[in-house]
Amino acid sequence: IIETIDVGYPIGGMGAGPDSIWVSGFGNGTIYRIDPTTNSIAGSLYTDYGNLGPPLVAFQSVWVGALDQNVVLRIDPAAFDASEAPIP
């Protein structure tokens, strides 16, 4: 183990992109962007959906399934704001 990063909530899944690690919250509807160079939460986005599945990065977007709503969310990575990141 090199580092642990506490997001403060149960995790629905993880995905890797070219410059970030993406973590979805299970039950809180939030997606977190982890900066692998600082090992810290670099941004978060509340989706208003509860149980999120593992994020996928493709086509310049972050994709995640809202498992209890039967929908897929396509999110622009630029929407993630570090000011929304929770403090665990």
Side-chain angles (χ1 to χ4, degrees):
I1 297 174
I2 296 172
E3 187 71 40
T4 60
I5 300 133
D6 184 5
V7 297
Y9 297 96
I11 294 172
M14 293 176 41
D19 58 358
S20 298
I21 304 299
W22 301 92
V23 178
S24 61
F26 191 80
N28 74 341
T30 302
I31 301 173
Y32 304 92
R33 184 172 76 81
I34 307 292
D35 182 338
T37 61
T38 63
N39 294 317
S40 63
I41 298 173
S44 67
L45 180 72
Y46 177 69
T47 66
D48 205 26
Y49 290 90
N51 299 324
L52 302 176
L56 171 71
V57 179
F59 304 103
Q60 293 81 40
S61 298
V62 177
W63 302 76
V64 65
L67 304 178
D68 51 355
Q69 300 293 318
N70 298 323
V71 297
V72 175
L73 309 173
R74 182 178 185 177
I75 303 167
D76 182 350
F80 290 80
D81 180 0
S83 66
E84 294 181 29
I87 299 172

